[in-house]
């Protein structure tokens, strides 16, 4: 999946919330926004703010605002929950996770959500199928997608 981040920049405004302003992905996103002369704002969430303050800042955004989250998974779930209660749709929210963190993984076979997974490959805790973790994040499930690993008969993998 590489370092490419697919973002729909055709929005009236972008709001970026980051818990680490030294995130390696942030400069590329900011450069793209500046190159396109887009209206954007950054919230540094490294010093945790109260839910009421965050809710107020989110509710002051115009409809159609793109919310980009560069935060840890626990904070991401909290912010997405608040944003969805206000006016943000699933299509208005992009969560860019750091692959080094543990995360929830949605099983593409049985639809079980496996919690706190750190490995790139693991066995689903419900159906036991081997899954490979993708970079595809579902704001609806608050989890990344785990693709079932298809094994061919007589072929050994890694």
């Amino acid at each position: 999946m590489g370092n490419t981040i697919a973002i729909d920049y055709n929005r009236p405004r972008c709001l970026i919330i980051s818990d680490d302003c030294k995130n390696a992905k942030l400069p590329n996103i900011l450069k793209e926004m500046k190159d396109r002369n887009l209206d954007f704002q950054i919230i540094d969430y490294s010093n945790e703010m109260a839910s009421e303050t965050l809710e107020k800042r989110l509710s002051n955004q115009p409809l159609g605002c793109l919310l980009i989250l560069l935060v840890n998974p626990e904070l991401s779930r909290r912010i997405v929950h608040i944003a969805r209660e206000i006016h943000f749709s699933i299509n208005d929210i992009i969560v860019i996770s750091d692959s080094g963190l543990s995360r929830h993984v949605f099983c593409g076979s049985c639809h079980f959500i496996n919690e706190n997974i750190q490995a790139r490959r693991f066995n689903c805790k419900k159906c036991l199928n081997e899954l490979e973790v993708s970079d595809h994040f579902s704001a609806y499930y608050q989890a990344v997608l785990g693709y079932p690993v298809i094994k061919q008969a007589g072929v050994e993998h890694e």
Side-chain angles (χ1 to χ4, degrees):
M1 313 284 163
N3 294 329
T4 306
I5 300 168
I7 296 176
D8 174 14
Y9 291 103
N10 297 318
R11 301 297 188 110
R13 178 169 203 180
C14 293
L15 177 64
I16 303 166
I17 300 177
S18 178
D19 60 357
D20 177 9
C21 285
K22 294 179 183 171
N23 185 309
K25 297 173 184 168
L26 189 56
N28 292 336
I29 295 169
L30 295 178
K31 181 182 182 321
E32 186 72 26
M33 289 185 180
K34 288 176 184 173
D35 289 350
R36 293 173 181 253
N37 201 26
L38 295 174
D39 181 24
F40 68 91
Q41 178 183 7
I42 302 172
I43 296 177
D44 179 2
Y45 210 95
S46 56
N47 298 321
E48 189 163 330
M49 63 177 71
S51 292
E52 301 82 35
T53 304
L54 178 62
E55 187 173 337
K56 183 177 180 183
R57 302 236 357 224
L58 289 172
S59 64
N60 287 335
Q61 301 304 314
L63 285 175
C65 175
L66 181 63
L67 178 60
I68 300 174
L69 303 178
L70 291 144
V71 296
N72 68 63
E74 291 76 25
L75 185 54
S76 159
R77 285 187 286 282
R78 183 172 150 228
I79 294 172
V80 168
H81 178 74
I82 293 169
R84 297 278 293 131
E85 285 184 344
I86 297 172
H87 63 69
F88 288 87
S89 75
I90 289 174
N91 296 327
D92 295 332
I93 304 169
I94 294 178
V95 178
I96 302 171
S97 65
D98 183 355
S99 60
L101 298 173
S102 64
R103 58 212 150 168
H104 296 340
V105 180
F106 178 84
C107 177
S109 294
C110 71
H111 303 176
F112 180 75
I113 297 178
N114 296 272
E115 296 183 353
N116 300 320
I117 303 299
Q118 293 177 331
R120 290 297 294 169
R121 279 192 176 190
F122 71 99
N123 289 342
C124 175
K125 293 174 184 169
K126 183 176 180 187
C127 69
L128 303 178
N129 283 337
E130 186 178 9
L131 301 175
E132 182 155 343
V133 179
S134 74
D135 292 329
H136 176 75
F137 182 83
S138 167
Y140 182 80
Y141 289 109
Q142 291 298 296
V144 292
L145 177 62
Y147 290 105
V149 175
I150 299 171
K151 296 183 180 181
Q152 296 175 345
V155 178
E156 286 189 33
H157 293 278
E158 302 176 314

